[in-house]
Amino acid sequence: MIRVGIIMYFSKEYKGGINYLKNLLYASHSEAPVYIHYTFFVPSDLDQDIIDAFLPYAQVIKTNVLKRKSMPWYIDKVSDKLFKKNLLLINLLKKYKIEIVSHSNFFSRFGKLKIVSWIPDFQLYHFPDLWSASERNWMINLNKKVVKYSDRIILSSNDSLKDYIKFASEDISKVKVMQFVSQPSSLSEAEFIATQKRIQSKYQIEGDFLYLPNQFWSHKNHMVVFKAINLLKNRGLNPLLVTTGHMVDYRGNDGNIKMIRDFIEVNDLSKNILLLGLIPYAEVLVLMKTCTALINPSLFEGWSSTVEEAKSIGKKILVSDIPIHREQDPETGIYFDPRNESALADIIENVLSQVENKVSNNFLTDGEVQNNLATRTKLFAQKYHQIITELYNER
């Protein structure tokens, strides 16, 4: 038995991280590796719905050591600063006989413990101006720790590997590229219909709509889509764009949010652009499946969850023409210049026209979508199992 521990250090608002880990454990579980046991350490005050999402795949341990501003949390922070070790977390890991810590930005050592770290992307080096000086320094130092203390480093794309070699070229032998796969959470037919009705009533969404489910960070580039919607309105059309995602930029760059709200108000787009903020994942899933098309206009991604979800459900997606999206290669994708709202407006108008004229919106059959998802999930799981097994054997 290989005992793998995952520590939830990040905020629950980081939906991308939570979904990544859920997809990772789902994939691993789907391959039935009876020799790997997962223990997920979470803050004691974590929402139960998040815990429930992991219970089918891992033992979940709630602890005050991870609860922000609790006494154990402070003690562990002090021990890390004074002794370069998270002593309380170490004791917890020892208690549950953890042999490998994965995806946790945890660098303390004891015994034969092995550490697997994940670097989501190197956005910092491409868009440094989006970060405050303190946030830049914190992220640079974190990446240095990952490189120095990890036994394996997982990157989500070959595009990220190029960045790693350029910005953190030390010990390339540690690095493994593992392209993650998003799973469409299952809802029963009754749950789906009930959720769809709730969405229609709750948000007043009727008819055809486009869906943009990205966090509202500056590099996510929402404005190009909003400008395209405004152009379409000026052409006499009445498109509906639904957006969801945490409307805060954790880097303190909330001027982007104000700019977005001001643009909508000045151009009278409140009925064309809905800002729903954070919503339950069941609602996200239904919006994805019932929208006319998904949109990801991002200027930078490590490996886009939105694109992966489009691939996993066979949904048409309009995607910015950037290297990572080309690497992800969605068969349902239509590419656009992320800085050209006029070209995007033309694409959206064409997509809406096809719907109006009842032109088929399907790129793939249901069978093709399911087979593609099963193949990608299997490769994802096998790659991770290989990493874990090799590390264990090196102990």
Side-chain angles (χ1 to χ4, degrees), residues 165-178:
I165 294 171
K166 183 176 180 180
F167 298 116
S169 59
E170 301 93 332
D171 205 351
I172 192 70
S173 63
K174 290 183 179 182
V175 177
K176 302 291 182 181
V177 174
M178 187 176 77

Side-chain angles (χ1 to χ4, degrees), residues 130-146:
L130 297 180
W131 303 67
S132 67
S134 60
E135 287 283 354
R136 278 200 307 271
N137 291 336
W138 183 86
M139 185 60 71
I140 290 170
N141 288 333
L142 174 61
N143 285 345
K144 287 180 178 178
K145 286 182 179 179
V146 167

